[in-house]
Amino acid sequence: MALSKGSETAKPKPVMPWKARISITFISTITDAARRSNGTINRRLTNLLDLKAHASSSPVNGVTSKDFTIDAENKLWFRVFAPAVSPAAGTLPVVVYFHGGGFAFLSPDSLGYDAVCRRICRHVPAVVVSVNYRLTPEHRYPSQYDDGELFLHFLDENRMVLPENADVSKCFLAGDSAGANLAHNVAVRVGKMGIGEKQVGNSGLRRIRIVGLVAIQPFFGGEERTEAEVRFEGAPLVSTERTDWMWKAFLPEGSDREHRACNVSGPNSEDLSGLDYPDSIVVVGGFDPLQDWQRRYYEWLIKSGKKAQLVEYPKMFHAFYIFPDLAESSQMITQIKDFINKKLAQ
């Protein structure tokens, strides 16, 4: 049967609550306006419109928070979220969280990320540490990975910044979108620390032990245009036009998207077979243009001999977890809780 012109050009769209649709459209519009053709970003505009949440020593939804600075010049700081639980509950796992934003936008005190970390903190429960890192294009690869690794070493040597009931020997790396990419690469770096050494697990870190990784809709890509990228061309936040710009702003000068930081499971990928890489959970949305790359990442982990769990939400779009009114957003938090608790029970 011949297709009409309208059916040829129609693109599948997720069903979004009006609040989510307005928010996603607003964020896409602002980031589009802030991205300049010369590869720079209008930080004055993004700083003006990136709504912030302040740390609070008084519980907000059952969670307190406090900020700490490691390197003010490089804007390396972090926010610690602690749940209001009874001391009788025992020790709590630590979740080190890296925010998304294409390596170019947002921070731990962005309103949406403050809320996401509070939800994880309260529902798991866990002490959540949300890390701020340098942004591109002012700071290209590997600055973000350097900051993530530096943070872990700082935490390893400064356990006192966390609540007394935080157990850093039960540490999970987590992140969404670019933050999940960052979490993966930090996990690789930690795994490499142990090569040729006799320490048990996560060598190079004295107190911290990375026992799991939570990758929420990770930001990966490549030169190829996947079926999902074509099908969802023009999608908010992560259309190919936007992601191409972000990769060009992030990757080293002269690199293409086959670089291992982008095409993580491609021809230039790391060899994970000999690394102490943590068990992982990978979250995928059915309306996310990046989903094919995310599934390849999961399959690559399995082929590399690592334990990984794939969780799919067929009706969800990129960054759905920011919206607590969505049933799938709450389901994802429960999936993360179950993954963490299962690891702790082993």
Side-chain angles (χ1 to χ4, degrees), residues 17-20 119 316 320-331:
W18 67 270
K19 287 184 179 179
R119 291 172 67 202
M316 287 296 98
F320 73 92
Y321 41 85
I322 296 293
F323 304 100
D325 292 342
L326 290 171
E328 289 87 347
S329 179
S330 297
Q331 291 167 14

Side-chain angles (χ1 to χ4, degrees), residues 47 103 106 116 142 166 187 190 202 206 233 257 261 264 267 271 337:
N47 291 339
F103 298 111
L106 306 174
V116 166
V190 171
N202 301 158
R206 294 180 299 166
E233 173 55 35
R257 295 189 302 275
V264 66
D271 180 6
K337 174 182 178 178

